Amino acid sequence: VNLPDQDHFPDETVLLFDQVLLKNTKIKKWIDRFKFRIHLKSGEKLKSLAEYSRVLKIVSEMAIPKSTKLTFVSLGGGSVGDFSGFLASTYLRGRRLIHIPSTWLSAMDSAHGGKTALNLNGIKNQIGTFHPAHEVWICQNLLISQPPERLRECFGEAVKMALLGDSKLFNEFEKQKLKTNLVWKHLPKIIDLKYKIITKDPHEINGERRLLNLGHTLGHVYESLLGWPHGISVLMGIRFSAHWSFHTGLLPKKDWIRICQVISNFDFDDKFISQARNVSASSAKKHLMRDKKIIGHDEIDFIFISKIGNAIRKKVKFSDLLDELERQRKE
Ligand SMILES: NC(=O)c1ccc[n+]([C@@H]2O[C@H](COP(=O)([O-])OP(=O)(O)OC[C@H]3O[C@@H](n4cnc5c(N)ncnc54)[C@H](O)[C@@H]3O)[C@@H](O)[C@H]2O)c1
Ligand SMILES: [Zn+2]
């Protein structure tokens, strides 16, 4: 579908949007129709307590009825969505939220599942709530307007979903390079795969949902230390996990080779592989210690791959993870 008509939203609607989208005249026109709107600068800096309090102040000073109909519409990528979701879930103890994701990554991943997040002290997603959107609009005209680098940034999450539960989808990624048409075609399937996992564990209590963290343990380290986009960090985190899974004998060699092949299929620059080697165990340690998957003080829940289409969660010693990091750097 295309961007929804304005009369779809109640009068008490606040649009929180990525200011980058103003460059597109059609989208700008749509944005300008909202009486209450706040432009945001996307990125990890947006997901901060400082921005949160700045924007909350603007909202509270708006001449808008604070009724239960009050609706926040988030138009943007994952950073805008995480931020707006947190704001919507805490303002007046929670108001309605509608996501209109504008990046491939947010359309296939972050707009679904209800996780909201802010960063703290340079560590990702340390503050957050569960606040599923009342509606998520997947708008073709908005998504296809993205430049190619946005496509590259969703590879990580797309490959992750295929590895977690759909070997046929993985085959598709193997056959051809990721293109806009291919992502658009498979978007419903990828979204369904995410919902299949989260409905088993909506609030991350029994651990099933943790499978979605495949590639994210090292991914978040790369994102923080190397400043890579989230999706690329996750892809390299998946590579780390696949390599470790293969090394321990869990993942058959042929699957390890296929995973490497898919990563390089995406025009994946060797530059990322060599930059990842610069991350030493000692520099990664500080970030890993704050990982939410940590258990006690010396263990962590890690997601391994047992075959294409199946991942497993295992407790590992923190020191083993750091040793593996050093081993892979030297290999
Ligand atoms: N809540 C969750 O479940 C969840 C899941 C995955 C990722 N995330 C979070 O999502 C964030 C990453 O998502 P992202 O990559 O969408 O981030 P983002 O919001 O930073 O967007 C990436 C870039 O795309 C630009 N952009 C947005 N829409 C565009 C469009 N239509 N055309 C051109 N450029 C556009 C943005 O301005 C930005 O420069 C991270 O903060 C990550 O932690 C959250
Ligand atoms: Zn992610």
Side-chain angles (χ1 to χ4, degrees), residues 109 157 160 216 230 234:
D109 190 353
E157 307 288 3
K160 178 186 86 180
H216 283 65
H230 182 76
V234 169

Side-chain angles (χ1 to χ4, degrees), residues 24-272:
N24 180 317
T25 45
K26 278 197 189 134
I27 301 173
K28 180 176 185 303
K29 233 169 138 186
W30 186 85
I31 291 172
D32 286 346
R33 288 197 211 113
F34 284 85
K35 188 169 164 207
F36 302 105
R37 55 181 193 268
I38 302 173
H39 60 91
L40 302 169
K41 192 171 180 314
S42 65
E44 292 307 309
K45 286 208 182 102
L46 171 64
K47 292 169 57 174
S48 69
L49 284 172
E51 276 298 284
Y52 171 68
S53 64
R54 182 186 74 82
V55 176
L56 263 188
K57 197 155 175 279
I58 300 175
V59 172
S60 73
E61 284 166 3
M62 278 176 162
I64 184 168
K66 312 293 195 263
S67 73
T68 48
K69 271 195 187 163
L70 178 62
T71 300
F72 291 94
V73 175
S74 167
L75 174 72
S79 63
V80 171
D82 280 6
F83 174 84
S84 308
F86 185 73
L87 194 140
S89 77
T90 49
Y91 186 59
L92 306 173
R93 295 212 181 88
R95 284 295 182 263
R96 281 169 55 86
L97 170 69
I98 296 178
H99 275 308
I100 308 181
S102 71
T103 61
W104 292 116
L105 188 141
S106 54
M108 68 175 59
D109 190 353
S110 62
H112 315 279
K115 280 191 178 178
T116 79
L118 297 183
N119 306 329
L120 188 69
N121 292 333
I123 315 277
K124 278 192 60 111
N125 305 340
Q126 296 286 291
I127 307 168
T129 52
F130 287 100
H131 191 64
H134 295 83
E135 293 168 16
V136 181
W137 286 78
I138 303 293
C139 305
Q140 190 174 20
N141 57 350
L142 177 64
L143 292 170
I144 60 172
S145 71
Q146 295 173 77
E149 61 267 29
R150 297 285 93 82
L151 197 61
R152 204 167 76 147
E153 288 166 15
C154 78
F155 294 161
E157 307 288 3
V159 170
K160 178 186 86 180
M161 294 314 311
L163 283 173
L164 288 178
D166 194 336
S167 57
K168 279 198 194 125
L169 182 61
F170 191 88
N171 292 347
E172 294 279 318
F173 293 153
E174 243 172 343
K175 274 191 255 161
Q176 48 186 313
K177 293 199 182 211
L178 207 62
K179 291 203 189 77
T180 300
N181 291 349
L182 190 72
V183 180
W184 177 253
K185 179 177 152 202
H186 292 303
L187 203 53
K189 202 183 288 172
I190 299 172
I191 296 170
D192 272 357
L193 282 163
K194 178 159 184 182
Y195 278 106
K196 250 190 213 145
I197 295 178
I198 53 186
T199 46
K200 287 188 200 153
D201 182 21
H203 295 97
E204 208 160 279
I205 291 168
N206 65 31
E208 193 68 23
R209 191 174 174 149
R210 287 226 161 137
L211 291 174
L212 291 169
N213 283 313
L214 172 63
H216 283 65
T217 303
L218 262 289
H220 284 162
V221 173
Y222 298 141
E223 197 173 347
S224 307
L225 289 178
L226 302 171
W228 294 347
H230 182 76
I232 291 179
S233 308
V234 169
L235 193 59
M236 295 310 291
I238 289 173
R239 196 179 182 281
F240 177 89
S241 165
H243 201 172
W244 196 6
S245 305
F246 164 58
H247 189 245
T248 56
L250 188 68
L251 179 72
K253 186 168 184 182
K254 64 171 188 351
D255 285 359
W256 160 235
I257 292 170
R258 286 175 68 195
I259 293 169
C260 289
Q261 185 54 44
V262 160
I263 292 174
S264 60
N265 230 355
F266 292 149
D267 283 334
F268 215 78
D269 210 322
D270 285 344
K271 171 183 100 187
F272 289 112

Side-chain angles (χ1 to χ4, degrees), residues 261-295:
Q261 185 54 44
V262 160
I263 292 174
S264 60
N265 230 355
F266 292 149
D267 283 334
F268 215 78
D269 210 322
D270 285 344
K271 171 183 100 187
F272 289 112
I273 298 178
S274 64
Q275 273 187 30
R277 283 214 177 90
N278 291 334
V279 176
S280 67
S282 59
S283 58
K285 198 170 170 187
K286 170 178 156 244
H287 286 271
L288 289 169
M289 297 289 273
R290 311 260 176 84
D291 195 296
K292 292 186 291 303
K293 295 175 291 302
I294 211 152
I295 314 161

